[in-house]
mmCIF file of all heavy atoms in Angstrom:
data_model
loop_
_atom_site.group_PDB
_atom_site.id
_atom_site.type_symbol
_atom_site.label_atom_id
_atom_site.label_comp_id
_atom_site.label_asym_id
_atom_site.label_seq_id
_atom_site.Cartn_x
_atom_site.Cartn_y
_atom_site.Cartn_z
ATOM 1 N N PRO E 1 -12.570 11.044 -3.691
ATOM 2 C CA PRO E 1 -11.717 12.046 -2.941
ATOM 3 C C PRO E 1 -10.458 11.415 -2.480
ATOM 4 O O PRO E 1 -10.487 10.312 -2.006
ATOM 5 C CB PRO E 1 -12.668 12.412 -1.780
ATOM 6 C CG PRO E 1 -14.053 12.002 -2.237
ATOM 7 C CD PRO E 1 -13.857 10.842 -3.083
ATOM 8 N N GLY E 2 -9.421 12.214 -2.629
ATOM 9 C CA GLY E 2 -8.155 11.776 -2.095
ATOM 10 C C GLY E 2 -7.336 10.843 -3.076
ATOM 11 O O GLY E 2 -6.207 10.483 -2.703
ATOM 12 N N MET E 3 -7.910 10.530 -4.150
ATOM 13 C CA MET E 3 -7.175 9.662 -5.177
ATOM 14 C C MET E 3 -6.285 10.668 -6.059
ATOM 15 O O MET E 3 -6.730 11.364 -6.840
ATOM 16 C CB MET E 3 -8.029 8.881 -6.044
ATOM 17 C CG MET E 3 -7.269 7.865 -7.059
ATOM 18 S SD MET E 3 -8.376 6.590 -7.774
ATOM 19 C CE MET E 3 -8.789 7.594 -9.225
ATOM 20 N N ALA E 4 -5.098 10.473 -5.874
ATOM 21 C CA ALA E 4 -4.219 11.452 -6.663
ATOM 22 C C ALA E 4 -3.604 10.788 -7.931
ATOM 23 O O ALA E 4 -3.287 9.547 -7.910
ATOM 24 C CB ALA E 4 -2.900 11.879 -5.824
ATOM 25 N N VAL E 5 -3.513 11.538 -8.982
ATOM 26 C CA VAL E 5 -2.826 11.095 -10.301
ATOM 27 C C VAL E 5 -1.365 11.448 -10.120
ATOM 28 O O VAL E 5 -0.990 12.578 -10.153
ATOM 29 C CB VAL E 5 -3.548 11.583 -11.426
ATOM 30 C CG1 VAL E 5 -2.639 11.273 -12.769
ATOM 31 C CG2 VAL E 5 -4.887 11.179 -11.648
ATOM 32 N N VAL E 6 -0.505 10.455 -9.971
ATOM 33 C CA VAL E 6 0.911 10.510 -9.848
ATOM 34 C C VAL E 6 1.607 10.794 -11.234
ATOM 35 O O VAL E 6 2.580 11.527 -11.291
ATOM 36 C CB VAL E 6 1.564 9.261 -9.087
ATOM 37 C CG1 VAL E 6 3.093 9.381 -9.101
ATOM 38 C CG2 VAL E 6 0.983 9.038 -7.720
ATOM 39 N N HIS E 7 1.037 10.162 -12.167
ATOM 40 C CA HIS E 7 1.698 10.279 -13.624
ATOM 41 C C HIS E 7 0.554 9.931 -14.658
ATOM 42 O O HIS E 7 -0.247 9.111 -14.398
ATOM 43 C CB HIS E 7 2.796 9.298 -13.663
ATOM 44 C CG HIS E 7 3.258 9.208 -15.071
ATOM 45 N ND1 HIS E 7 4.329 10.131 -15.520
ATOM 46 C CD2 HIS E 7 3.049 8.474 -16.221
ATOM 47 C CE1 HIS E 7 4.533 9.892 -16.898
ATOM 48 N NE2 HIS E 7 3.835 8.917 -17.239
ATOM 49 N N ASP E 8 0.706 10.784 -15.631
ATOM 50 C CA ASP E 8 -0.358 10.453 -16.719
ATOM 51 C C ASP E 8 0.244 10.695 -18.043
ATOM 52 O O ASP E 8 1.014 11.698 -18.277
ATOM 53 C CB ASP E 8 -1.541 11.338 -16.588
ATOM 54 C CG ASP E 8 -2.458 11.358 -17.700
ATOM 55 O OD1 ASP E 8 -2.713 10.204 -18.291
ATOM 56 O OD2 ASP E 8 -3.009 12.373 -18.185
ATOM 57 N N ASP E 9 0.157 9.862 -19.109
ATOM 58 C CA ASP E 9 0.697 10.189 -20.310
ATOM 59 C C ASP E 9 -0.319 9.278 -21.431
ATOM 60 O O ASP E 9 -1.347 8.829 -20.998
ATOM 61 C CB ASP E 9 2.105 9.661 -20.634
ATOM 62 C CG ASP E 9 2.374 8.180 -20.318
ATOM 63 O OD1 ASP E 9 1.588 7.316 -20.706
ATOM 64 O OD2 ASP E 9 3.521 7.907 -19.757
ATOM 65 N N ASP E 10 0.096 9.223 -22.601
ATOM 66 C CA ASP E 10 -0.937 8.565 -23.559
ATOM 67 C C ASP E 10 -1.120 7.027 -23.290
ATOM 68 O O ASP E 10 -1.994 6.470 -23.796
ATOM 69 C CB ASP E 10 -0.230 8.766 -24.985
ATOM 70 C CG ASP E 10 -0.341 10.150 -25.546
ATOM 71 O OD1 ASP E 10 -1.101 10.964 -24.962
ATOM 72 O OD2 ASP E 10 0.414 10.482 -26.470
ATOM 73 N N GLU E 11 -0.144 6.450 -22.674
ATOM 74 C CA GLU E 11 -0.168 4.939 -22.507
ATOM 75 C C GLU E 11 -0.653 4.511 -21.193
ATOM 76 O O GLU E 11 -1.396 3.454 -21.048
ATOM 77 C CB GLU E 11 1.214 4.316 -22.749
ATOM 78 C CG GLU E 11 1.884 4.569 -24.029
ATOM 79 C CD GLU E 11 1.338 3.630 -25.100
ATOM 80 O OE1 GLU E 11 0.658 2.613 -24.619
ATOM 81 O OE2 GLU E 11 1.691 3.833 -26.355
ATOM 82 N N ILE E 12 -0.316 5.183 -20.073
ATOM 83 C CA ILE E 12 -0.591 4.780 -18.661
ATOM 84 C C ILE E 12 -1.118 5.943 -17.926
ATOM 85 O O ILE E 12 -0.834 7.131 -18.198
ATOM 86 C CB ILE E 12 0.558 4.133 -18.033
ATOM 87 C CG1 ILE E 12 1.751 5.125 -17.926
ATOM 88 C CG2 ILE E 12 1.023 2.818 -18.772
ATOM 89 C CD1 ILE E 12 2.935 4.601 -17.130
ATOM 90 N N VAL E 13 -1.751 5.517 -16.737
ATOM 91 C CA VAL E 13 -1.986 6.498 -15.703
ATOM 92 C C VAL E 13 -1.716 5.774 -14.441
ATOM 93 O O VAL E 13 -2.142 4.687 -14.160
ATOM 94 C CB VAL E 13 -3.441 7.079 -15.687
ATOM 95 C CG1 VAL E 13 -4.394 5.917 -15.682
ATOM 96 C CG2 VAL E 13 -3.629 8.116 -14.504
ATOM 97 N N VAL E 14 -0.908 6.458 -13.620
ATOM 98 C CA VAL E 14 -0.517 5.906 -12.254
ATOM 99 C C VAL E 14 -1.134 6.731 -11.175
ATOM 100 O O VAL E 14 -1.141 7.967 -11.200
ATOM 101 C CB VAL E 14 1.027 5.956 -12.036
ATOM 102 C CG1 VAL E 14 1.463 5.428 -10.721
ATOM 103 C CG2 VAL E 14 1.760 5.226 -13.143
ATOM 104 N N VAL E 15 -1.831 6.030 -10.306
ATOM 105 C CA VAL E 15 -2.676 6.616 -9.230
ATOM 106 C C VAL E 15 -2.123 6.251 -7.869
ATOM 107 O O VAL E 15 -1.542 5.153 -7.701
ATOM 108 C CB VAL E 15 -4.109 6.421 -9.266
ATOM 109 C CG1 VAL E 15 -4.748 6.882 -10.624
ATOM 110 C CG2 VAL E 15 -4.356 4.886 -9.118
ATOM 111 N N ASP E 16 -2.402 7.217 -6.813
ATOM 112 C CA ASP E 16 -2.114 6.796 -5.504
ATOM 113 C C ASP E 16 -3.628 6.429 -4.889
ATOM 114 O O ASP E 16 -4.260 7.466 -4.700
ATOM 115 C CB ASP E 16 -1.426 7.964 -4.786
ATOM 116 C CG ASP E 16 -0.745 7.609 -3.504
ATOM 117 O OD1 ASP E 16 -1.040 6.554 -3.013
ATOM 118 O OD2 ASP E 16 0.197 8.347 -3.160
ATOM 119 N N LYS E 17 -3.836 5.272 -4.689
ATOM 120 C CA LYS E 17 -5.210 4.889 -4.175
ATOM 121 C C LYS E 17 -5.346 5.058 -2.766
ATOM 122 O O LYS E 17 -4.531 4.528 -1.935
ATOM 123 C CB LYS E 17 -5.388 3.265 -4.550
ATOM 124 C CG LYS E 17 -6.673 2.862 -4.237
ATOM 125 C CD LYS E 17 -6.842 1.297 -4.554
ATOM 126 C CE LYS E 17 -6.451 0.583 -3.285
ATOM 127 N NZ LYS E 17 -7.278 0.678 -2.084
ATOM 128 N N PRO E 18 -6.352 5.698 -2.389
ATOM 129 C CA PRO E 18 -6.636 5.732 -0.822
ATOM 130 C C PRO E 18 -7.215 4.604 -0.464
ATOM 131 O O PRO E 18 -7.684 3.635 -1.067
ATOM 132 C CB PRO E 18 -7.754 6.966 -0.765
ATOM 133 C CG PRO E 18 -7.891 7.498 -2.196
ATOM 134 C CD PRO E 18 -7.335 6.405 -3.147
ATOM 135 N N VAL E 19 -7.111 4.340 0.952
ATOM 136 C CA VAL E 19 -7.798 3.328 1.654
ATOM 137 C C VAL E 19 -9.323 3.297 1.383
ATOM 138 O O VAL E 19 -9.877 4.418 1.232
ATOM 139 C CB VAL E 19 -7.453 3.210 3.100
ATOM 140 C CG1 VAL E 19 -8.178 4.462 3.841
ATOM 141 C CG2 VAL E 19 -8.027 1.938 3.852
ATOM 142 N N GLY E 20 -9.988 2.073 1.328
ATOM 143 C CA GLY E 20 -11.442 2.139 1.158
ATOM 144 C C GLY E 20 -11.915 2.213 -0.270
ATOM 145 O O GLY E 20 -13.085 2.350 -0.523
ATOM 146 N N VAL E 21 -10.926 2.180 -1.180
ATOM 147 C CA VAL E 21 -11.260 2.230 -2.684
ATOM 148 C C VAL E 21 -10.883 0.759 -3.251
ATOM 149 O O VAL E 21 -9.685 0.403 -3.007
ATOM 150 C CB VAL E 21 -10.604 3.422 -3.349
ATOM 151 C CG1 VAL E 21 -10.933 3.436 -4.798
ATOM 152 C CG2 VAL E 21 -11.019 4.667 -2.582
ATOM 153 N N ALA E 22 -11.805 0.186 -3.970
ATOM 154 C CA ALA E 22 -11.536 -0.964 -4.684
ATOM 155 C C ALA E 22 -10.848 -0.548 -6.140
ATOM 156 O O ALA E 22 -11.007 0.457 -6.666
ATOM 157 C CB ALA E 22 -12.779 -1.887 -4.961
ATOM 158 N N ALA E 23 -10.152 -1.642 -6.675
ATOM 159 C CA ALA E 23 -9.439 -1.365 -7.956
ATOM 160 C C ALA E 23 -10.554 -1.167 -9.155
ATOM 161 O O ALA E 23 -10.540 -0.329 -9.960
ATOM 162 C CB ALA E 23 -8.494 -2.383 -8.305
ATOM 163 N N HIS E 24 -11.605 -2.101 -8.989
ATOM 164 C CA HIS E 24 -12.628 -2.048 -10.065
ATOM 165 C C HIS E 24 -13.848 -2.563 -9.454
ATOM 166 O O HIS E 24 -13.911 -3.111 -8.236
ATOM 167 C CB HIS E 24 -12.171 -3.022 -11.092
ATOM 168 C CG HIS E 24 -11.877 -4.388 -10.808
ATOM 169 N ND1 HIS E 24 -12.868 -5.350 -10.442
ATOM 170 C CD2 HIS E 24 -10.718 -5.123 -10.565
ATOM 171 C CE1 HIS E 24 -12.257 -6.482 -10.140
ATOM 172 N NE2 HIS E 24 -10.946 -6.282 -10.171
ATOM 173 N N PRO E 25 -14.966 -2.424 -10.072
ATOM 174 C CA PRO E 25 -16.241 -2.912 -9.576
ATOM 175 C C PRO E 25 -16.226 -4.474 -9.468
ATOM 176 O O PRO E 25 -15.584 -5.172 -10.177
ATOM 177 C CB PRO E 25 -17.191 -2.446 -10.653
ATOM 178 C CG PRO E 25 -16.604 -1.403 -11.433
ATOM 179 C CD PRO E 25 -15.129 -1.780 -11.318
ATOM 180 N N SER E 26 -16.992 -4.823 -8.445
ATOM 181 C CA SER E 26 -17.131 -6.400 -8.372
ATOM 182 C C SER E 26 -18.674 -6.566 -7.727
ATOM 183 O O SER E 26 -19.095 -5.772 -7.186
ATOM 184 C CB SER E 26 -16.098 -7.102 -7.567
ATOM 185 O OG SER E 26 -16.047 -6.473 -6.212
ATOM 186 N N VAL E 27 -19.060 -7.798 -7.878
ATOM 187 C CA VAL E 27 -20.433 -8.182 -7.298
ATOM 188 C C VAL E 27 -20.409 -7.943 -5.763
ATOM 189 O O VAL E 27 -19.373 -8.480 -5.137
ATOM 190 C CB VAL E 27 -20.764 -9.510 -7.651
ATOM 191 C CG1 VAL E 27 -22.043 -10.115 -6.873
ATOM 192 C CG2 VAL E 27 -20.978 -9.814 -9.218
ATOM 193 N N GLY E 28 -21.224 -7.290 -5.272
ATOM 194 C CA GLY E 28 -21.331 -7.094 -3.809
ATOM 195 C C GLY E 28 -20.581 -5.888 -3.267
ATOM 196 O O GLY E 28 -20.816 -5.506 -2.055
ATOM 197 N N TRP E 29 -19.759 -5.315 -4.086
ATOM 198 C CA TRP E 29 -18.944 -4.072 -3.678
ATOM 199 C C TRP E 29 -19.795 -2.820 -4.240
ATOM 200 O O TRP E 29 -20.063 -2.686 -5.361
ATOM 201 C CB TRP E 29 -17.634 -3.997 -4.375
ATOM 202 C CG TRP E 29 -16.801 -2.757 -3.947
ATOM 203 C CD1 TRP E 29 -16.620 -1.765 -4.810
ATOM 204 C CD2 TRP E 29 -16.392 -2.272 -2.792
ATOM 205 N NE1 TRP E 29 -15.943 -0.667 -4.208
ATOM 206 C CE2 TRP E 29 -15.839 -1.051 -2.843
ATOM 207 C CE3 TRP E 29 -16.440 -2.923 -1.419
ATOM 208 C CZ2 TRP E 29 -15.330 -0.374 -1.795
ATOM 209 C CZ3 TRP E 29 -15.766 -2.150 -0.340
ATOM 210 C CH2 TRP E 29 -15.207 -0.892 -0.642
ATOM 211 N N THR E 30 -20.202 -1.927 -3.254
ATOM 212 C CA THR E 30 -20.966 -0.727 -3.556
ATOM 213 C C THR E 30 -20.216 0.635 -3.419
ATOM 214 O O THR E 30 -20.744 1.729 -3.537
ATOM 215 C CB THR E 30 -22.230 -0.671 -2.816
ATOM 216 O OG1 THR E 30 -21.905 -0.635 -1.530
ATOM 217 C CG2 THR E 30 -23.224 -1.810 -3.130
ATOM 218 N N GLY E 31 -18.984 0.487 -2.948
ATOM 219 C CA GLY E 31 -18.103 1.675 -2.651
ATOM 220 C C GLY E 31 -17.396 2.196 -3.813
ATOM 221 O O GLY E 31 -17.591 1.712 -4.999
ATOM 222 N N PRO E 32 -16.529 3.108 -3.658
ATOM 223 C CA PRO E 32 -15.783 3.719 -4.795
ATOM 224 C C PRO E 32 -14.799 2.811 -5.354
ATOM 225 O O PRO E 32 -14.233 1.823 -4.724
ATOM 226 C CB PRO E 32 -15.148 4.964 -4.077
ATOM 227 C CG PRO E 32 -14.938 4.525 -2.637
ATOM 228 C CD PRO E 32 -16.122 3.720 -2.390
ATOM 229 N N THR E 33 -14.319 2.997 -6.639
ATOM 230 C CA THR E 33 -13.259 2.252 -7.308
ATOM 231 C C THR E 33 -12.393 3.173 -8.085
ATOM 232 O O THR E 33 -12.705 4.286 -8.460
ATOM 233 C CB THR E 33 -14.040 1.377 -8.436
ATOM 234 O OG1 THR E 33 -14.652 2.168 -9.390
ATOM 235 C CG2 THR E 33 -15.034 0.380 -7.730
ATOM 236 N N VAL E 34 -11.235 2.658 -8.366
ATOM 237 C CA VAL E 34 -10.202 3.394 -9.141
ATOM 238 C C VAL E 34 -10.758 3.676 -10.570
ATOM 239 O O VAL E 34 -10.698 4.803 -10.939
ATOM 240 C CB VAL E 34 -8.876 2.573 -9.226
ATOM 241 C CG1 VAL E 34 -7.922 3.301 -10.231
ATOM 242 C CG2 VAL E 34 -8.153 2.468 -7.780
ATOM 243 N N LEU E 35 -11.379 2.688 -11.192
ATOM 244 C CA LEU E 35 -11.845 2.934 -12.546
ATOM 245 C C LEU E 35 -12.861 3.950 -12.568
ATOM 246 O O LEU E 35 -12.972 4.784 -13.470
ATOM 247 C CB LEU E 35 -12.391 1.608 -13.199
ATOM 248 C CG LEU E 35 -11.180 0.687 -13.547
ATOM 249 C CD1 LEU E 35 -11.901 -0.607 -14.216
ATOM 250 C CD2 LEU E 35 -10.180 1.256 -14.520
ATOM 251 N N GLY E 36 -13.817 3.876 -11.524
ATOM 252 C CA GLY E 36 -14.906 4.890 -11.441
ATOM 253 C C GLY E 36 -14.397 6.344 -11.256
ATOM 254 O O GLY E 36 -14.858 7.281 -11.856
ATOM 255 N N GLY E 37 -13.410 6.400 -10.383
ATOM 256 C CA GLY E 37 -12.839 7.719 -10.191
ATOM 257 C C GLY E 37 -12.045 8.278 -11.392
ATOM 258 O O GLY E 37 -12.159 9.552 -11.689
ATOM 259 N N LEU E 38 -11.392 7.392 -12.133
ATOM 260 C CA LEU E 38 -10.669 7.812 -13.361
ATOM 261 C C LEU E 38 -11.689 8.218 -14.360
ATOM 262 O O LEU E 38 -11.575 9.289 -15.120
ATOM 263 C CB LEU E 38 -9.789 6.754 -13.882
ATOM 264 C CG LEU E 38 -8.486 6.417 -13.221
ATOM 265 C CD1 LEU E 38 -7.870 5.219 -13.708
ATOM 266 C CD2 LEU E 38 -7.630 7.560 -13.054
ATOM 267 N N ALA E 39 -12.873 7.588 -14.599
ATOM 268 C CA ALA E 39 -13.841 7.908 -15.431
ATOM 269 C C ALA E 39 -14.438 9.215 -15.093
ATOM 270 O O ALA E 39 -14.685 10.155 -15.978
ATOM 271 C CB ALA E 39 -14.997 6.767 -15.443
ATOM 272 N N ALA E 40 -14.717 9.444 -13.803
ATOM 273 C CA ALA E 40 -15.308 10.789 -13.376
ATOM 274 C C ALA E 40 -14.359 11.937 -13.611
ATOM 275 O O ALA E 40 -14.707 12.985 -13.878
ATOM 276 C CB ALA E 40 -15.598 10.705 -11.846
ATOM 277 N N ALA E 41 -13.096 11.599 -13.654
ATOM 278 C CA ALA E 41 -12.052 12.721 -13.936
ATOM 279 C C ALA E 41 -11.746 12.950 -15.387
ATOM 280 O O ALA E 41 -10.880 13.643 -15.832
ATOM 281 C CB ALA E 41 -10.706 12.443 -13.090
ATOM 282 N N GLY E 42 -12.473 12.032 -16.255
ATOM 283 C CA GLY E 42 -12.352 12.304 -17.766
ATOM 284 C C GLY E 42 -11.205 11.400 -18.337
ATOM 285 O O GLY E 42 -10.892 11.578 -19.544
ATOM 286 N N PHE E 43 -10.755 10.348 -17.559
ATOM 287 C CA PHE E 43 -9.746 9.548 -18.284
ATOM 288 C C PHE E 43 -10.381 8.374 -19.000
ATOM 289 O O PHE E 43 -11.468 7.817 -18.686
ATOM 290 C CB PHE E 43 -8.871 8.951 -17.132
ATOM 291 C CG PHE E 43 -7.945 9.750 -16.465
ATOM 292 C CD1 PHE E 43 -8.374 10.676 -15.394
ATOM 293 C CD2 PHE E 43 -6.527 10.041 -16.993
ATOM 294 C CE1 PHE E 43 -7.396 11.440 -14.815
ATOM 295 C CE2 PHE E 43 -5.750 10.886 -16.390
ATOM 296 C CZ PHE E 43 -6.169 11.570 -15.283
ATOM 297 N N THR E 44 -9.789 8.010 -20.186
ATOM 298 C CA THR E 44 -10.236 6.975 -20.955
ATOM 299 C C THR E 44 -9.103 5.786 -20.910
ATOM 300 O O THR E 44 -7.961 6.091 -20.922
ATOM 301 C CB THR E 44 -10.375 7.302 -22.435
ATOM 302 O OG1 THR E 44 -11.378 8.333 -22.593
ATOM 303 C CG2 THR E 44 -10.789 6.125 -23.282
ATOM 304 N N VAL E 45 -9.535 4.566 -20.516
ATOM 305 C CA VAL E 45 -8.628 3.586 -20.360
ATOM 306 C C VAL E 45 -8.642 2.464 -21.418
ATOM 307 O O VAL E 45 -9.687 2.453 -22.108
ATOM 308 C CB VAL E 45 -8.683 2.916 -18.837
ATOM 309 C CG1 VAL E 45 -8.535 3.956 -17.743
ATOM 310 C CG2 VAL E 45 -10.017 2.298 -18.784
ATOM 311 N N SER E 46 -7.790 1.494 -21.429
ATOM 312 C CA SER E 46 -7.824 0.345 -22.345
ATOM 313 C C SER E 46 -9.136 -0.329 -22.203
ATOM 314 O O SER E 46 -9.755 -0.383 -21.143
ATOM 315 C CB SER E 46 -6.703 -0.534 -22.075
ATOM 316 O OG SER E 46 -6.750 -1.782 -22.563
#
């Protein structure tokens, strides 16, 4: 919630990350992530 997509095209996606969200999963982190949010929204990344 609250993560906005600022720009999206075939090469990149630019997001406005809210506080409390990690960029990606890591050991010991159980909260939300940018990559998890993009996947839930149907984005495919590199």
Side-chain angles (χ1 to χ4, degrees):
M3 187 173 83
V5 173
V6 175
H7 173 84
D8 173 41
D9 60 37
D10 291 343
E11 299 279 349
I12 60 173
V13 56
V14 179
V15 301
D16 201 339
K17 184 187 85 65
V19 65
V21 179
H24 57 76
S26 60
V27 172
W29 175 253
T30 57
T33 67
V34 169
L35 289 184
L38 288 174
F43 288 87
T44 301
V45 301
S46 160

